[in-house]
Amino acid sequence: MQIEIEKPRLNPVHLAAIIGAGFMNAFAIGGVWVSLNRDIADVRNAQERTQKVLDSTVQQVSQIGPLSFQTTRSLEAAAENKKATELTNARIDRVVESLGGKLDTAIDSINKVGTQVQVLSSKLEDMQGRADKTLFRTPIVRP
């Protein structure tokens, strides 16, 4: 028994349908290919943007050390200035106290001189008052 294979006939409609289906498949594969390439380009752009952001972040993070040092140094300088101000205030207080003491001493000395002048004046008046009397008398006029 012999097996016979029947060949299908190829008519123009079937040929056009096969060619059309091939074009449709090629068109679909081309669309998928373009879409994949576009997606890959988008992913690469996103990766570049992310890398730029990471580089910027690394640069900003690297500035934290110097900024921290500057902040610490500013705080130390403020503390030093505060201590210097306190010491200056203490010196000024001592100067004011000594000046006040000197003013008190000067006032006491001036008062003593004034008192001595009054005592001497009083002694002179006592000595001169006994010997020198005025003889001039004002006449009394009665209406």
Side-chain angles (χ1 to χ4, degrees):
M1 196 169 182
Q2 204 173 357
I3 300 178
E4 234 178 88
I5 299 177
E6 187 179 325
K7 286 181 168 179
R9 288 190 208 164
L10 194 57
N11 59 14
V13 175
H14 286 133
L15 185 61
I18 291 172
I19 292 175
F23 280 132
M24 292 296 283
N25 284 336
F27 183 75
I29 290 172
V32 169
W33 179 260
V34 168
S35 176
L36 286 176
N37 284 337
R38 193 174 298 141
D39 289 344
I40 289 170
D42 289 344
V43 168
R44 285 185 182 155
N45 288 339
Q47 182 182 10
E48 289 174 6
R49 284 192 309 264
T50 304
Q51 188 62 40
K52 287 179 184 177
V53 168
L54 286 175
D55 291 342
S56 172
T57 304
V58 167
Q59 183 182 9
Q60 291 175 358
V61 167
S62 67
Q63 294 176 358
I64 289 176
L67 290 176
S68 175
F69 173 74
Q70 290 173 357
T71 304
T72 303
R73 183 62 193 120
S74 296
L75 291 174
E76 290 172 356
E80 290 172 1
N81 287 341
K82 184 177 179 182
K83 186 65 177 175
T85 302
E86 290 173 359
L87 293 174
T88 303
N89 286 343
R91 285 194 302 266
I92 289 173
D93 288 343
R94 285 195 306 267
V95 167
V96 167
E97 287 175 5
S98 68
L99 184 62
K102 289 180 182 181
L103 283 175
D104 289 342
T105 304
I107 289 171
D108 289 342
S109 297
I110 291 170
N111 285 339
K112 286 180 185 175
V113 168
T115 303
Q116 289 174 356
V117 168
Q118 286 178 356
V119 168
L120 289 175
S121 171
S122 150
K123 286 182 181 177
L124 284 176
E125 284 178 2
D126 286 346
M127 290 172 68
Q128 289 177 357
R130 292 183 201 153
D132 187 24
K133 291 191 177 181
T134 253
L135 295 173
F136 179 75
R137 295 188 181 184
T138 314
I140 299 176
V141 178
R142 296 184 189 218

